[in-house]
Structures are given as C-alpha cells and as structure tokens.
Short mmCIF file of all heavy atoms in Angstrom, two decimals:
data_model
loop_
_atom_site.label_atom_id
_atom_site.label_comp_id
_atom_site.label_asym_id
_atom_site.label_seq_id
_atom_site.Cartn_x
_atom_site.Cartn_y
_atom_site.Cartn_z
N GLU A 267 -23.31 -13.42 -37.64
CA GLU A 267 -23.93 -13.11 -36.35
C GLU A 267 -22.89 -13.14 -35.23
O GLU A 267 -22.91 -12.28 -34.33
CB GLU A 267 -25.08 -14.09 -36.05
CG GLU A 267 -25.73 -13.90 -34.70
CD GLU A 267 -26.37 -12.54 -34.49
OE1 GLU A 267 -26.62 -11.81 -35.46
OE2 GLU A 267 -26.61 -12.19 -33.32
N LEU A 268 -22.00 -14.10 -35.27
CA LEU A 268 -20.95 -14.18 -34.26
C LEU A 268 -20.06 -12.93 -34.32
O LEU A 268 -19.75 -12.33 -33.28
CB LEU A 268 -20.09 -15.44 -34.46
CG LEU A 268 -18.90 -15.59 -33.51
CD1 LEU A 268 -19.37 -15.68 -32.06
CD2 LEU A 268 -18.08 -16.81 -33.88
N ARG A 269 -19.68 -12.49 -35.51
CA ARG A 269 -18.85 -11.28 -35.65
C ARG A 269 -19.60 -10.07 -35.09
O ARG A 269 -19.00 -9.21 -34.43
CB ARG A 269 -18.48 -11.05 -37.12
CG ARG A 269 -17.35 -11.93 -37.60
CD ARG A 269 -16.83 -11.49 -38.96
NE ARG A 269 -17.83 -11.52 -40.02
CZ ARG A 269 -18.14 -12.59 -40.74
NH1 ARG A 269 -17.51 -13.74 -40.54
NH2 ARG A 269 -19.07 -12.53 -41.67
N ARG A 270 -20.91 -9.99 -35.36
CA ARG A 270 -21.71 -8.87 -34.84
C ARG A 270 -21.70 -8.89 -33.31
O ARG A 270 -21.48 -7.86 -32.66
CB ARG A 270 -23.15 -8.94 -35.37
CG ARG A 270 -24.00 -7.73 -34.99
CD ARG A 270 -25.49 -7.97 -35.21
NE ARG A 270 -26.06 -8.97 -34.32
CZ ARG A 270 -26.30 -8.78 -33.01
NH1 ARG A 270 -26.00 -7.65 -32.44
NH2 ARG A 270 -26.85 -9.73 -32.28
N ARG A 271 -21.94 -10.05 -32.71
CA ARG A 271 -21.96 -10.16 -31.25
C ARG A 271 -20.59 -9.86 -30.64
O ARG A 271 -20.48 -9.21 -29.60
CB ARG A 271 -22.42 -11.56 -30.82
CG ARG A 271 -23.89 -11.81 -31.11
CD ARG A 271 -24.33 -13.18 -30.69
NE ARG A 271 -25.71 -13.43 -31.08
CZ ARG A 271 -26.42 -14.45 -30.65
NH1 ARG A 271 -25.89 -15.34 -29.83
NH2 ARG A 271 -27.67 -14.60 -31.05
N GLN A 272 -19.54 -10.31 -31.31
CA GLN A 272 -18.19 -10.03 -30.82
C GLN A 272 -17.90 -8.53 -30.87
O GLN A 272 -17.27 -7.98 -29.96
CB GLN A 272 -17.15 -10.80 -31.64
CG GLN A 272 -17.15 -12.28 -31.35
CD GLN A 272 -16.28 -13.09 -32.30
OE1 GLN A 272 -16.03 -12.67 -33.44
NE2 GLN A 272 -15.81 -14.24 -31.84
N ALA A 273 -18.38 -7.86 -31.92
CA ALA A 273 -18.17 -6.41 -32.04
C ALA A 273 -18.90 -5.67 -30.92
O ALA A 273 -18.37 -4.71 -30.34
CB ALA A 273 -18.64 -5.92 -33.41
N VAL A 274 -20.12 -6.10 -30.61
CA VAL A 274 -20.89 -5.48 -29.53
C VAL A 274 -20.13 -5.62 -28.20
O VAL A 274 -20.00 -4.65 -27.44
CB VAL A 274 -22.30 -6.10 -29.43
CG1 VAL A 274 -23.00 -5.71 -28.13
CG2 VAL A 274 -23.15 -5.70 -30.63
N VAL A 275 -19.63 -6.81 -27.92
CA VAL A 275 -18.91 -7.03 -26.67
C VAL A 275 -17.60 -6.25 -26.66
O VAL A 275 -17.22 -5.67 -25.64
CB VAL A 275 -18.68 -8.55 -26.44
CG1 VAL A 275 -17.75 -8.79 -25.26
CG2 VAL A 275 -20.02 -9.24 -26.20
N ARG A 276 -16.89 -6.20 -27.79
CA ARG A 276 -15.64 -5.42 -27.87
C ARG A 276 -15.91 -3.94 -27.58
O ARG A 276 -15.16 -3.29 -26.84
CB ARG A 276 -15.00 -5.56 -29.25
CG ARG A 276 -13.86 -6.53 -29.30
CD ARG A 276 -13.06 -6.44 -30.59
NE ARG A 276 -13.82 -6.34 -31.82
CZ ARG A 276 -14.34 -7.37 -32.48
NH1 ARG A 276 -14.16 -8.60 -32.04
NH2 ARG A 276 -15.02 -7.18 -33.59
N GLU A 277 -16.97 -3.40 -28.17
CA GLU A 277 -17.32 -1.99 -27.95
C GLU A 277 -17.70 -1.75 -26.49
O GLU A 277 -17.30 -0.75 -25.89
CB GLU A 277 -18.46 -1.57 -28.88
CG GLU A 277 -18.05 -1.46 -30.33
CD GLU A 277 -19.24 -1.29 -31.27
OE1 GLU A 277 -20.36 -1.03 -30.79
OE2 GLU A 277 -19.03 -1.41 -32.49
N ALA A 278 -18.47 -2.66 -25.91
CA ALA A 278 -18.86 -2.52 -24.51
C ALA A 278 -17.64 -2.61 -23.60
O ALA A 278 -17.51 -1.87 -22.62
CB ALA A 278 -19.88 -3.60 -24.13
N ALA A 279 -16.72 -3.51 -23.93
CA ALA A 279 -15.49 -3.66 -23.14
C ALA A 279 -14.65 -2.39 -23.21
O ALA A 279 -14.13 -1.92 -22.19
CB ALA A 279 -14.69 -4.86 -23.63
N ALA A 280 -14.55 -1.82 -24.39
CA ALA A 280 -13.77 -0.58 -24.55
C ALA A 280 -14.43 0.56 -23.78
O ALA A 280 -13.75 1.34 -23.11
CB ALA A 280 -13.64 -0.23 -26.03
N ALA A 281 -15.75 0.66 -23.86
CA ALA A 281 -16.47 1.72 -23.15
C ALA A 281 -16.34 1.56 -21.64
O ALA A 281 -16.31 2.55 -20.91
CB ALA A 281 -17.94 1.71 -23.56
N ALA A 282 -16.24 0.32 -21.17
CA ALA A 282 -16.11 0.06 -19.73
C ALA A 282 -14.69 0.27 -19.22
O ALA A 282 -14.45 0.27 -18.02
CB ALA A 282 -16.57 -1.36 -19.42
N GLY A 283 -13.74 0.45 -20.13
CA GLY A 283 -12.36 0.65 -19.72
C GLY A 283 -11.55 -0.62 -19.58
O GLY A 283 -10.50 -0.63 -18.94
N LEU A 284 -12.01 -1.69 -20.22
CA LEU A 284 -11.32 -2.97 -20.11
C LEU A 284 -9.90 -2.95 -20.68
O LEU A 284 -8.99 -3.50 -20.05
CB LEU A 284 -12.17 -4.05 -20.76
CG LEU A 284 -12.03 -5.47 -20.22
CD1 LEU A 284 -12.24 -5.53 -18.73
CD2 LEU A 284 -13.00 -6.39 -20.92
N PRO A 285 -9.65 -2.32 -21.83
CA PRO A 285 -8.27 -2.30 -22.33
C PRO A 285 -7.29 -1.62 -21.36
O PRO A 285 -6.19 -2.11 -21.14
CB PRO A 285 -8.37 -1.52 -23.65
CG PRO A 285 -9.78 -1.74 -24.10
CD PRO A 285 -10.58 -1.77 -22.83
N ALA A 286 -7.71 -0.53 -20.75
CA ALA A 286 -6.85 0.16 -19.78
C ALA A 286 -6.63 -0.71 -18.54
O ALA A 286 -5.52 -0.77 -17.99
CB ALA A 286 -7.45 1.50 -19.38
N ALA A 287 -7.67 -1.42 -18.11
CA ALA A 287 -7.54 -2.31 -16.95
C ALA A 287 -6.60 -3.47 -17.26
O ALA A 287 -5.80 -3.87 -16.40
CB ALA A 287 -8.92 -2.83 -16.53
N ARG A 288 -6.68 -4.00 -18.48
CA ARG A 288 -5.75 -5.07 -18.88
C ARG A 288 -4.31 -4.56 -18.91
O ARG A 288 -3.39 -5.26 -18.51
CB ARG A 288 -6.14 -5.64 -20.24
CG ARG A 288 -7.34 -6.55 -20.17
CD ARG A 288 -7.58 -7.27 -21.49
NE ARG A 288 -8.73 -8.13 -21.36
CZ ARG A 288 -9.79 -8.09 -22.17
NH1 ARG A 288 -9.82 -7.24 -23.18
NH2 ARG A 288 -10.80 -8.90 -21.98
N ALA A 289 -4.14 -3.34 -19.39
CA ALA A 289 -2.80 -2.75 -19.43
C ALA A 289 -2.27 -2.54 -18.01
O ALA A 289 -1.09 -2.83 -17.74
CB ALA A 289 -2.83 -1.42 -20.18
N ARG A 290 -3.11 -2.07 -17.08
CA ARG A 290 -2.69 -1.91 -15.67
C ARG A 290 -2.29 -3.24 -15.07
O ARG A 290 -1.28 -3.35 -14.37
CB ARG A 290 -3.83 -1.30 -14.84
CG ARG A 290 -3.88 0.20 -14.85
CD ARG A 290 -4.85 0.74 -13.80
NE ARG A 290 -6.20 0.24 -13.91
CZ ARG A 290 -7.12 0.72 -14.75
NH1 ARG A 290 -6.83 1.72 -15.55
NH2 ARG A 290 -8.33 0.22 -14.78
N GLU A 291 -3.07 -4.26 -15.36
CA GLU A 291 -2.76 -5.60 -14.83
C GLU A 291 -1.43 -6.08 -15.38
O GLU A 291 -0.62 -6.65 -14.65
CB GLU A 291 -3.88 -6.58 -15.17
CG GLU A 291 -3.74 -7.95 -14.53
CD GLU A 291 -2.84 -8.88 -15.32
OE1 GLU A 291 -2.77 -8.75 -16.56
OE2 GLU A 291 -2.20 -9.74 -14.69
N ALA A 292 -1.16 -5.86 -16.65
CA ALA A 292 0.10 -6.29 -17.25
C ALA A 292 1.28 -5.54 -16.64
O ALA A 292 2.33 -6.14 -16.37
CB ALA A 292 0.06 -6.07 -18.77
N VAL A 293 1.11 -4.25 -16.40
CA VAL A 293 2.19 -3.45 -15.79
C VAL A 293 2.47 -3.96 -14.37
O VAL A 293 3.63 -4.13 -13.98
CB VAL A 293 1.83 -1.95 -15.78
CG1 VAL A 293 2.75 -1.15 -14.88
CG2 VAL A 293 1.86 -1.40 -17.20
N THR A 294 1.41 -4.20 -13.61
CA THR A 294 1.62 -4.67 -12.23
C THR A 294 2.19 -6.09 -12.21
O THR A 294 2.95 -6.43 -11.30
CB THR A 294 0.34 -4.59 -11.39
OG1 THR A 294 -0.68 -5.41 -11.97
CG2 THR A 294 -0.16 -3.15 -11.26
N ALA A 295 1.84 -6.91 -13.20
CA ALA A 295 2.41 -8.26 -13.28
C ALA A 295 3.91 -8.19 -13.54
O ALA A 295 4.69 -8.94 -12.93
CB ALA A 295 1.71 -9.07 -14.37
N ARG A 296 4.32 -7.29 -14.43
CA ARG A 296 5.76 -7.14 -14.69
C ARG A 296 6.48 -6.61 -13.45
O ARG A 296 7.58 -7.06 -13.12
CB ARG A 296 5.98 -6.22 -15.89
CG ARG A 296 5.70 -6.89 -17.22
CD ARG A 296 6.17 -6.06 -18.40
NE ARG A 296 5.51 -4.77 -18.52
CZ ARG A 296 4.32 -4.59 -19.12
NH1 ARG A 296 3.68 -5.61 -19.66
NH2 ARG A 296 3.81 -3.39 -19.19
N ALA A 297 5.86 -5.66 -12.75
CA ALA A 297 6.47 -5.12 -11.53
C ALA A 297 6.58 -6.20 -10.46
O ALA A 297 7.59 -6.27 -9.74
CB ALA A 297 5.65 -3.94 -11.01
N LEU A 298 5.57 -7.06 -10.37
CA LEU A 298 5.62 -8.16 -9.40
C LEU A 298 6.74 -9.13 -9.74
O LEU A 298 7.49 -9.56 -8.86
CB LEU A 298 4.27 -8.88 -9.38
CG LEU A 298 4.13 -10.05 -8.42
CD1 LEU A 298 4.41 -9.62 -6.98
CD2 LEU A 298 2.74 -10.66 -8.54
N GLY A 299 6.89 -9.45 -11.01
CA GLY A 299 7.97 -10.33 -11.43
C GLY A 299 9.34 -9.73 -11.13
O GLY A 299 10.25 -10.40 -10.66
N ALA A 300 9.48 -8.43 -11.40
CA ALA A 300 10.75 -7.75 -11.12
C ALA A 300 11.04 -7.71 -9.62
O ALA A 300 12.20 -7.92 -9.20
CB ALA A 300 10.72 -6.33 -11.68
N ALA A 301 10.01 -7.50 -8.81
CA ALA A 301 10.20 -7.48 -7.35
C ALA A 301 10.60 -8.87 -6.85
O ALA A 301 11.45 -8.99 -5.96
CB ALA A 301 8.93 -7.00 -6.65
N GLY A 302 10.01 -9.91 -7.42
CA GLY A 302 10.38 -11.27 -7.04
C GLY A 302 11.81 -11.58 -7.40
O GLY A 302 12.57 -12.16 -6.60
N THR A 303 12.22 -11.16 -8.58
CA THR A 303 13.61 -11.37 -9.00
C THR A 303 14.56 -10.60 -8.10
O THR A 303 15.60 -11.12 -7.68
CB THR A 303 13.79 -10.92 -10.47
OG1 THR A 303 12.93 -11.73 -11.28
CG2 THR A 303 15.22 -11.08 -10.93
N ALA A 304 14.20 -9.35 -7.77
CA ALA A 304 15.05 -8.53 -6.90
C ALA A 304 15.22 -9.19 -5.53
O ALA A 304 16.32 -9.19 -4.96
CB ALA A 304 14.46 -7.14 -6.75
N LEU A 305 14.16 -9.79 -5.02
CA LEU A 305 14.24 -10.47 -3.73
C LEU A 305 15.18 -11.67 -3.82
O LEU A 305 16.03 -11.87 -2.95
CB LEU A 305 12.87 -10.92 -3.25
CG LEU A 305 12.93 -11.71 -1.95
CD1 LEU A 305 12.48 -10.87 -0.79
CD2 LEU A 305 12.13 -12.97 -2.05
N LEU A 306 15.05 -12.44 -4.88
CA LEU A 306 15.85 -13.65 -4.99
C LEU A 306 17.34 -13.36 -5.20
O LEU A 306 18.18 -14.16 -4.79
CB LEU A 306 15.31 -14.55 -6.09
CG LEU A 306 13.94 -15.16 -5.78
CD1 LEU A 306 13.44 -15.95 -6.97
CD2 LEU A 306 14.00 -16.03 -4.54
N ILE A 307 17.66 -12.23 -5.81
CA ILE A 307 19.08 -11.93 -6.03
C ILE A 307 19.66 -11.03 -4.94
O ILE A 307 20.87 -10.77 -4.94
CB ILE A 307 19.32 -11.32 -7.42
CG1 ILE A 307 18.63 -9.98 -7.58
CG2 ILE A 307 18.94 -12.29 -8.51
CD1 ILE A 307 18.98 -9.26 -8.87
N ALA A 308 18.82 -10.56 -4.02
CA ALA A 308 19.32 -9.75 -2.91
C ALA A 308 20.25 -10.61 -2.04
O ALA A 308 19.95 -11.77 -1.78
CB ALA A 308 18.16 -9.20 -2.08
N PRO A 309 21.36 -10.03 -1.58
CA PRO A 309 22.30 -10.82 -0.78
C PRO A 309 21.75 -11.09 0.63
O PRO A 309 21.21 -10.20 1.28
CB PRO A 309 23.54 -9.93 -0.71
CG PRO A 309 23.04 -8.55 -0.94
CD PRO A 309 21.84 -8.67 -1.83
N CYS A 310 21.88 -12.33 1.06
CA CYS A 310 21.48 -12.71 2.42
C CYS A 310 22.55 -12.23 3.41
O CYS A 310 23.74 -12.43 3.19
CB CYS A 310 21.34 -14.23 2.54
SG CYS A 310 19.91 -14.89 1.70
N GLN A 311 22.08 -11.61 4.49
CA GLN A 311 23.00 -11.18 5.53
C GLN A 311 22.75 -11.91 6.84
O GLN A 311 23.58 -11.85 7.74
CB GLN A 311 22.89 -9.67 5.73
CG GLN A 311 23.34 -8.89 4.52
CD GLN A 311 23.19 -7.39 4.70
OE1 GLN A 311 22.49 -6.91 5.58
NE2 GLN A 311 23.87 -6.64 3.84
#
C-alpha cells in the first residue's frame, strides 16, 4: 500500500512539473554559489 501511495504521489509530482522545478532550483543554487565565490575572490579596491 505504501508503494502504491508513493507511486501516486510521484506521478502527481511529475505531472505538476516538480522534477523540472527541482532542476531549476539546483541550477540557481549552483549559480548563487558561484556568484558568492566570485564576490569573495574579487579584488578590493
């Protein structure tokens, strides 16, 4: 029963676009990390 319920939620999540939203969040998280690193290594004038 748990596997059945998990499958229903997985299918609903996929239909709602959750995997794409997670991928967008991961991309923006990496970009945020890179921007933070760029700021910290930028030379102070």
Side-chain angles (χ1 to χ4, degrees):
E267 176 61 17
L268 177 62
R269 281 191 300 275
R270 186 194 67 73
R271 290 180 185 192
Q272 288 171 334
V274 167
V275 171
R276 260 193 315 277
E277 290 170 12
L284 209 53
R288 285 189 179 125
R290 273 191 304 278
E291 187 276 330
V293 167
T294 60
R296 284 191 297 276
L298 180 58
T303 299
L305 176 104
L306 292 175
I307 64 173
C310 288
Q311 295 179 343

